[in-house]
Amino acid sequence: MFSQGAFAETDLHWLDRLLERDPFVTLLTTGADGLPELTRLPVLYRRQAQQVELLGHWARANPQSRHGGRAKVLVNGPHGYVSASWYPDKESAARVPTWNYAAAELTGQLQCFDDVPSLGQLLADSSALFESRAGQDWQFDPTLDAHRPSLRAIVGFRLQVQQIQIKLKLSQNHPQANQLAVTSALQALATPQACELAQWMQLYRSERGAPGNA
């Protein structure tokens, strides 16, 4: 992922936020024809200090379920258009429109598994997490006859992450007046997407405590 110095982030708390916000990621591997294969799927995120692991599963019929080795995961964050007209210095600094966003790219080693105990635990953990987010309490139980067939239809994976790139493009390379003006303009749009992006800009500024000076 191309990331200029001003936008490269190393604090893994931002990765925590990104995957808490949206655990539905894109998993990329290289297919037999040399072209990328990708699957969009939910993952469980595990982090201990600098060690990061993702767990999830494919349908067994998915060709990607037979892949091991190097893989990438793309993590989505808030994003939105920034009009040049919002900048107070738009004329004097010859500003142009841009797109603000937060995202991450994770690279690591993919390990597949299909043993019943591991798959059962994966589905139990997944259902517990996502059911709680939906305000429900359904649980996967591998001892139930109605649930066991699900295990034969999937292949699990574990991604041991070796490289983490976090990109936060939140107008931090602009003067304080521009940053505040963009935040206000996004809030004025009053769409969920624009308001969320404005919140992330405010969060970044509050944690860094110093305005951009470019």
Side-chain angles (χ1 to χ4, degrees):
M1 178 170 63
F2 172 69
S3 185
Q4 294 156 298
F7 307 130
E9 180 58 56
T10 58
D11 186 343
L12 294 188
H13 289 298
W14 288 98
L15 182 62
D16 299 343
R17 290 180 176 124
L18 283 165
L19 281 158
E20 171 66 22
R21 172 193 178 274
D22 188 359
F24 193 72
V25 305
T26 301
L27 175 62
L28 292 160
T29 57
T30 302
D33 58 1
L35 294 174
E37 288 185 334
L38 63 90
T39 303
R40 296 177 179 87
L41 40 71
V43 292
L44 299 178
Y45 171 60
R46 305 280 188 260
R47 181 168 78 85
Q48 292 291 330
Q50 302 298 305
Q51 300 300 311
V52 173
E53 179 181 80
L54 301 179
L55 296 106
H57 69 273
W58 301 279
R60 189 174 291 273
N62 186 335
Q64 201 176 44
S65 70
R66 295 181 285 280
H67 179 90
R70 296 277 286 175
K72 286 184 180 289
V73 165
L74 308 182
V75 183
N76 300 312
H79 63 92
Y81 178 74
V82 174
S83 171
S85 66
W86 295 342
Y87 299 128
D89 65 353
K90 56 183 174 292
E91 298 301 335
S92 60
R95 299 295 185 185
V96 295
T98 191
W99 205 277
N100 275 7
Y101 60 93
E105 179 182 302
L106 311 179
T107 305
Q109 291 291 324
L110 198 60
Q111 302 168 352
C112 304
F113 58 88
D114 62 0
D115 61 287
V116 169
S118 296
L119 289 177
Q121 188 63 56
L122 173 63
L123 292 188
D125 291 346
S126 297
S127 63
L129 174 63
F130 297 120
E131 283 287 314
S132 67
R133 289 189 171 194
Q136 301 299 314
D137 58 3
W138 182 89
Q139 296 180 344
F140 178 81
D141 186 347
T143 67
L144 296 179
D145 291 341
H147 290 187
R148 277 197 300 273
S150 299
L151 300 178
R152 296 193 294 271
I154 64 171
V155 174
F157 69 82
R158 179 179 294 105
L159 184 75
Q160 300 287 349
V161 177
Q162 299 167 326
Q163 182 181 7
I164 300 170
Q165 288 181 280
I166 304 169
K167 185 172 182 178
L168 304 177
K169 187 173 180 292
L170 301 173
S171 297
Q172 66 266 42
N173 61 324
H174 277 262
Q176 180 179 12
N178 284 5
Q179 295 179 35
L180 295 175
V182 170
T183 301
S184 295
L186 288 168
Q187 292 171 329
L189 291 177
T191 66
Q193 296 84 357
C195 289
E196 183 186 21
L197 182 57
Q199 289 170 357
W200 276 60
M201 291 179 65
Q202 290 174 318
L203 180 61
Y204 183 90
R205 283 177 51 76
S206 68
E207 292 195 357
R208 292 309 160 97
N213 55 16

